[in-house]
Amino acid sequence: MGTLLESSQLIVPTDLPASVPRSTRYHSALAVGAVLALPALFYLRPAILAGTSSLVGMDYDQMHVHRLRFAREALFGSGHTLPGWYPHEVLGSPFAANLQSFPWIPTRLLLLMLDPSIAYAAGVAMAAALAAIFTWLFCRGAGLSRTAAVAAAGTFAGAGFFASRVMAGHLPLLEAYPALPLLLWLVDRALATQRARQHRFDLGILAFASACIASAGHPQLPAYALASALLYTAWRSRGWLRARVASSIVLGVGMALAVWWPMLLLIGRSSRLLKSAAPDNDVVMPYRRLLALISPGIHGWPAPVAMAEGNPFKAYRNVAYFWDTASYVGILPLAAIAALLIICIVRKRMPDSRWRILAFLGVGAFLGSLPLADWVRHMLPGTILRSPARLLYISTFCEALALGGAVDACRRIPLPRWEGLRSGIVIIALSVHFLDLWSFAHRFIELRPRSEPAGEFQSILDREAGGGRIAEERAEPTLLYEDLFDDAGGFDSIFLTGFNQRMLELADKKPDHNWQKIDASTLPVKALKAAGVRFVITTDTRNDLRLAASRDDVNLYSVDNPAPRAEFPGATLKYSRPSSDAILLQSVSSHAGFARVLEAYDSGWKATVDGVASTVNSADGFSMTVAVPAGRHEVRLRYETPGRAVGILLSLSSMALLAALIASSKGGRR
């Protein structure tokens, strides 16, 4: 292998062989094939590959599929730009500023090539495969054997933290799942090459990966991964080496400010900073729920899991407690942790630096998910990172690594006469383990025919809805009309403050009510009229509305005299929508006044009257008004994402600093 440079317990090859033996290449290819095959066995089905069925994901079906279709049509349309405003939910909401709407990460960009009705299965498969391959690469770099690396990679990709969220439809969270092994692998590479004065561009690769991870649609897992990578760097290095590698991570996050600065500004004017009651999905890992880490069905199953019919999940007040705590990794990794702990005690020797920090991260994350540490989170203003139970993401990764370490520990036991038997036991144990994980994961893989039924009330809505909104029941599996008509309801963790407070008042909710899913079909008549709703689509019976049609247990109700999309009392006003980011008003009036547009107010809206800039005023955050003089005038409103220019400038500054960091790192070989 050549000369080896050993520094701080990290062994770095400085002179690679001219060629790799054919048997080594064969075994490596076979192991990588196994790493990629395991996620495919867990999450893909023949009907998905044939294109006849799509994968069921609740949140994806209700929210992400519509936003992906909206972004796809805009980016592939004539403008080739991502819209700043999303008019199809609530009374409109920021789109480009909200990372949860469309994150600028490579895997999401690849999904644009696919029809949104089948893109979810591809997104899940990519996330699982990347999580597995990055875990494999980290384990191999850490010195584990191929078999041990396959064991760890397959366990992390097939763990309950990931598998259960497939049916839940948490696409942004699943896309961020590979972040932790990717960052730790790249940190190890950067530390090794910087010590050996090789490949200074590894700092740039680490920064680029950090930028992609920071730009993911779900900020919680990226935050955990980035924090873990910085702690790992600080533990594994010192001095200028530590500063260079940590700086590349920080500057990578800075490169993501082009998307994060508008997001931070949006959070500052959203419901996330209101003093609201805890949302239903703000879950701390209950102590008795720890039993589910050993017996996953001990407290029952939520719908639509098939086993919910005979054993429903009723132990807690809502099913979010299941989805955020279903982190089963199998019995074998837990047994591996116990075995490794016993070995350390018997030998009276701690593991090396790398494994000590990983053990610290795993135990710390596990303890942080429990109620005993929740008081720290409540010291922070507003709701920044909810649901501490998601810290089990880090623990899951560390448990998978423990299994890999135990496999190699077993292989190192000096039993020359029983070598074949020992290898057979390892293979059988891993086979049973993966079968156990598969039997858990397959409960969350549900398919439905790819073709979706046509809207039953399409002709009525086309004829009579006009420019009005609809209020469609947000039930499974999908919304049929949201892509064609603006829905007064919405599903998001971020609502604009003014809209949120006014809607609570109209819906007769408490001021501190915390909602993420606004089902407009349940709103009282006064709220429907104020939101400009012309039709309500629901399976419920509403005696306070006029029934327009009923088909297959679905009712279409008409709302009398809803507020118009735009009005100017005492004037003739024509409303049109050239694009999602633009509104055009043409008024004829004998007097001056205010034109009111029934669209949620946000600071990004700008107005001109006959080409002259004018002020957009808020009407309780629920709508916008623009002063219009007497006579014939044209009012144009256009949405511009607040903070975009500053964010781009901050990203460019971070890129310049990163270039200086890379240039200052010595290249060549020592």
Side-chain angles (χ1 to χ4, degrees), residues 1-16 191-198 236 241 668-670:
M1 193 66 175
T3 305
L4 295 178
L5 174 66
E6 182 173 353
S7 177
S8 298
Q9 298 179 326
L10 182 66
I11 299 177
V12 183
T14 61
D15 187 15
L16 298 177
L191 290 175
T193 57
Q194 286 293 300
R195 286 191 175 103
R197 302 294 191 267
Q198 294 175 324
R236 299 270 295 140
L241 176 60
R669 296 192 176 190
R670 187 173 63 186

Side-chain angles (χ1 to χ4, degrees), residues 294-310:
I294 301 174
S295 177
I298 191 170
H299 298 126
W301 305 88
V305 179
M307 297 182 68
E309 295 182 5

Side-chain angles (χ1 to χ4, degrees), residues 241-264:
L241 176 60
R242 174 194 296 173
R244 284 196 298 269
V245 176
S247 295
S248 68
I249 297 174
V250 173
L251 291 174
V253 175
M255 290 164 55
L257 286 174
V259 292
W260 254 107
W261 185 253
M263 180 68 170
L264 291 172

Side-chain angles (χ1 to χ4, degrees), residues 329-395:
V329 293
I331 303 300
L332 194 59
L334 302 180
I337 293 173
L340 292 175
L341 183 60
I342 292 173
I343 291 174
C344 289
I345 294 174
V346 171
R347 294 184 176 180
K348 298 180 180 180
R349 188 175 66 185
M350 295 290 291
D352 71 10
S353 174
R354 174 187 285 111
W355 303 110
R356 287 201 301 272
I357 181 59
L358 290 171
F360 170 78
L361 289 173
V363 173
F366 176 75
L367 295 177
S369 71
L370 300 176
L372 60 88
D374 197 41
W375 63 272
V376 177
R377 187 170 60 98
H378 289 298
M379 296 175 63
L380 302 174
T383 304
I384 307 300
L385 294 176
R386 62 171 53 128
S387 198
R390 293 172 187 165
L391 279 166
L392 294 175
Y393 165 63
I394 300 175
S395 301

Side-chain angles (χ1 to χ4, degrees), residues 99 103-106 134 172 175-184 186 205-227 229 249 252-253 256 259-260 393:
L99 278 178
W104 286 95
I105 55 176
F134 291 146
E175 288 175 324
Y177 191 75
L180 184 56
L182 170 61
L183 282 179
L184 296 186
L186 291 179
I205 296 172
L206 176 59
F208 176 75
S210 300
C212 291
I213 290 168
S215 302
H218 196 288
Q220 198 156 2
L221 298 196
Y224 294 157
L226 289 164
I249 297 174
V253 175
V259 292
W260 254 107
Y393 165 63

Side-chain angles (χ1 to χ4, degrees), residues 255-566:
M255 290 164 55
L257 286 174
V259 292
W260 254 107
W261 185 253
M263 180 68 170
L264 291 172
L265 295 179
L266 174 59
I267 292 173
R269 59 184 192 272
S270 76
S271 56
R272 290 302 289 265
L273 295 186
L274 295 175
K275 293 183 179 180
S276 303
D280 289 341
N281 66 342
D282 192 2
V283 176
V284 179
M285 184 70 174
Y287 292 117
R288 63 186 178 123
R289 186 68 182 145
L290 294 175
L291 296 173
L293 301 180
I294 301 174
S295 177
I298 191 170
H299 298 126
W301 305 88
V305 179
M307 297 182 68
E309 295 182 5
N311 186 19
F313 185 78
K314 294 182 178 180
Y316 298 90
R317 66 175 183 268
N318 61 67
V319 295
Y321 276 83
F322 179 89
W323 300 116
D324 269 348
T325 60
S327 298
Y328 181 69
V329 293
I331 303 300
L332 194 59
L334 302 180
I337 293 173
L340 292 175
L341 183 60
I342 292 173
I343 291 174
C344 289
I345 294 174
V346 171
R347 294 184 176 180
K348 298 180 180 180
R349 188 175 66 185
M350 295 290 291
D352 71 10
S353 174
R354 174 187 285 111
W355 303 110
R356 287 201 301 272
I357 181 59
L358 290 171
F360 170 78
L361 289 173
V363 173
F366 176 75
L367 295 177
S369 71
L370 300 176
L372 60 88
D374 197 41
W375 63 272
V376 177
R377 187 170 60 98
H378 289 298
M379 296 175 63
L380 302 174
T383 304
I384 307 300
L385 294 176
R386 62 171 53 128
S387 198
R390 293 172 187 165
L391 279 166
L392 294 175
Y393 165 63
I394 300 175
S395 301
T396 296
F397 177 69
C398 295
E399 288 173 293
L401 296 183
L403 177 59
V407 168
D408 272 358
C410 179
R411 290 162 59 91
R412 286 195 296 267
I413 298 175
L415 295 173
R417 295 184 178 181
W418 302 95
E419 180 67 30
L421 177 61
R422 180 177 55 189
S423 299
I425 291 175
V426 169
I427 292 174
I428 292 173
L430 290 179
S431 299
V432 173
H433 167 64
F434 286 127
L435 181 62
D436 178 35
L437 281 185
W438 183 90
S439 67
F440 176 80
H442 92 279
R443 297 184 172 95
F444 304 100
I445 307 301
E446 183 178 335
L447 307 182
R448 65 162 174 270
R450 180 180 172 183
S451 59
E452 296 181 358
E456 298 173 339
F457 307 116
Q458 187 70 50
S459 59
I460 299 176
L461 294 174
D462 287 339
R463 184 176 64 251
E464 302 181 26
R469 291 185 172 88
I470 63 171
E472 186 172 9
E473 180 179 326
R474 293 190 165 259
E476 314 302 340
T478 63
L479 297 175
L480 299 177
Y481 300 101
E482 183 181 314
D483 298 326
L484 303 175
F485 302 92
D486 296 347
D487 195 325
F491 186 8
D492 207 331
S493 62
I494 294 179
F495 291 122
L496 293 170
T497 302
F499 162 80
N500 186 79
Q501 293 175 325
R502 180 61 175 155
M503 181 60 80
L504 289 175
E505 179 183 340
L506 290 169
D508 298 325
K509 302 287 187 181
K510 295 181 179 179
D512 66 342
H513 180 73
N514 195 328
W515 55 8
Q516 296 182 85
K517 184 186 295 185
I518 300 177
D519 188 344
S521 69
T522 65
L523 294 176
V525 175
K526 64 177 181 179
L528 294 172
K529 290 184 176 182
V533 174
R534 295 184 64 87
F535 288 97
V536 175
I537 305 168
T538 179
T539 57
D540 293 335
T541 300
R542 292 201 57 160
N543 298 322
D544 54 347
L545 296 174
R546 179 170 54 86
L547 183 64
S550 180
R551 297 172 189 170
D552 298 330
D553 299 325
V554 181
N555 302 316
L556 179 69
Y557 292 98
S558 176
V559 180
D560 296 329
N561 302 317
R565 294 295 287 259

